[in-house]
Amino acid sequence: MSIYAIVSSNSSLQYFPQNKAYHFKCHLNTPLNLEGIWKVALLEASVSTSKSLRTRKSICVYSNICGESIVNGDREPILRKLLANSLSNWDVIFETGHYMPVKTNNITDIDIYITTEEGLLASFLDQTSSFTLHFKAYPFV
């Protein structure tokens, strides 16, 4: 069994008016109640800025729903690292998902935040960010 979730930085402003393109929460009107072991992968990302950022080669996407990995020596809930495909654009569709364990079986809100390579919030992002997440029951069949 699998579930796709498309989340964007402007989709839940009535619940979270402080949402920004680089840090936002998305409220699920129908919570995900996942029984058993589940994993999640970031399959698509659309992240851009109106500013020219010649030095930004990559950004990292984190979420409260996934298990932790080691990032620069620290345990962090990273979904995926995105490499720039133009001067200020991180639009990508992944051929293969990198699945991370889902750390809670009841999901009402999905919190996403984006950082620079240095671990700072990517506050230079000023356009809507959106992501497609794929939840998959484990073991995969």
Side-chain angles (χ1 to χ4, degrees):
M1 177 174 199
S2 69
I3 300 167
Y4 289 89
I6 300 171
V7 296
S8 66
S9 59
N10 65 354
S11 66
S12 293
L13 293 174
Q14 68 273 32
Y15 298 102
F16 307 107
Q18 72 283 3
N19 278 356
K20 305 278 189 238
Y22 57 89
H23 189 186
F24 65 91
K25 291 182 183 178
C26 183
H27 178 73
L28 304 179
N29 292 326
T30 304
L32 290 178
N33 295 309
L34 309 172
E35 293 184 24
I37 299 170
W38 286 73
K39 297 201 175 199
V40 62
L42 175 64
L43 295 185
E44 296 181 13
S46 178
V47 182
S48 60
T49 181
S50 61
K51 302 169 185 168
S52 177
L53 299 169
R54 299 183 203 294
T55 61
R56 295 289 172 206
K57 304 274 189 269
S58 66
I59 54 176
C60 297
V61 181
Y62 297 86
S63 180
N64 67 319
I65 60 172
C66 68
E68 297 175 335
S69 295
I70 304 297
V71 180
N72 296 327
D74 294 320
R75 297 180 70 82
E76 301 286 347
I78 188 168
L79 280 169
R80 196 119 189 195
K81 181 177 181 177
L82 305 180
L83 301 176
N85 58 13
S86 72
L87 292 180
S88 60
N89 188 329
W90 295 269
D91 289 343
V92 64
I93 298 173
F94 293 105
E95 295 279 329
T96 306
H98 176 75
Y99 288 87
M100 300 294 299
V102 174
K103 68 179 183 182
T104 182
N105 288 35
N106 298 305
I107 301 171
T108 304
D109 299 317
I110 297 175
D111 188 358
I112 301 279
Y113 63 98
I114 305 167
T115 70
T116 64
E117 307 90 6
E118 300 83 21
L120 303 172
L121 282 175
S123 58
F124 54 83
L125 297 175
D126 54 5
Q127 305 292 311
T128 300
S129 299
S130 65
F131 303 95
T132 300
L133 304 174
H134 184 219
F135 293 85
K136 233 176 157 179
Y138 187 82
F140 301 152
V141 286

